[in-house]
Amino acid sequence: PEEFADDMRFVFSQGLLYPSRDVVHKIAMKFCETFENKWKSLNEEWTLEERKLKKIHKRKREQGVYDNERKGLNFQM
């Protein structure tokens, strides 16, 4: 994902080389702002999802240890 973001930033930077009054510059500026805002929100969502998945996996491991102890199977995971 970071390589994609870097590629997009490079594309926008090329459009920003045009004079500030040029329509290409204005479009590149708008796309750049929109992209950065969306990229930030996607990264936040991905971070939240990653945390949720880690909690789920942790609960499953803990439940597995509990189940094994209850059954009398005491071994390290």
Side-chain angles (χ1 to χ4, degrees):
E2 288 303 320
E3 186 177 346
F4 168 76
D6 291 341
D7 290 346
M8 293 304 296
R9 290 179 183 116
F10 176 75
V11 170
F12 300 140
S13 71
Q14 298 305 300
L16 294 173
L17 294 175
Y18 284 77
S20 60
R21 294 185 145 186
D22 193 284
V23 72
V24 173
H25 180 90
K26 291 176 184 177
I27 291 170
M29 181 67 80
K30 184 64 178 171
F31 280 155
C32 184
E33 291 170 5
T34 302
F35 174 78
E36 291 301 335
N37 289 333
K38 187 60 179 175
W39 190 251
K40 181 181 176 186
S41 68
L42 282 172
N43 277 324
E44 290 170 358
E45 287 179 39
W46 291 335
T47 300
L48 289 174
E49 286 300 316
E50 189 174 316
R51 286 181 189 156
K52 286 179 188 177
L53 285 174
K54 284 182 180 180
K55 283 183 180 180
I56 289 170
H57 291 298
K58 182 180 177 184
R59 283 188 204 133
K60 285 183 178 181
R61 281 193 310 270
E62 289 171 351
Q63 185 63 41
V65 170
Y66 171 77
D67 288 345
N68 289 333
E69 287 175 354
R70 203 179 83 219
K71 294 175 187 175
L73 301 172
N74 296 319
F75 62 89
Q76 297 288 334
M77 291 188 87

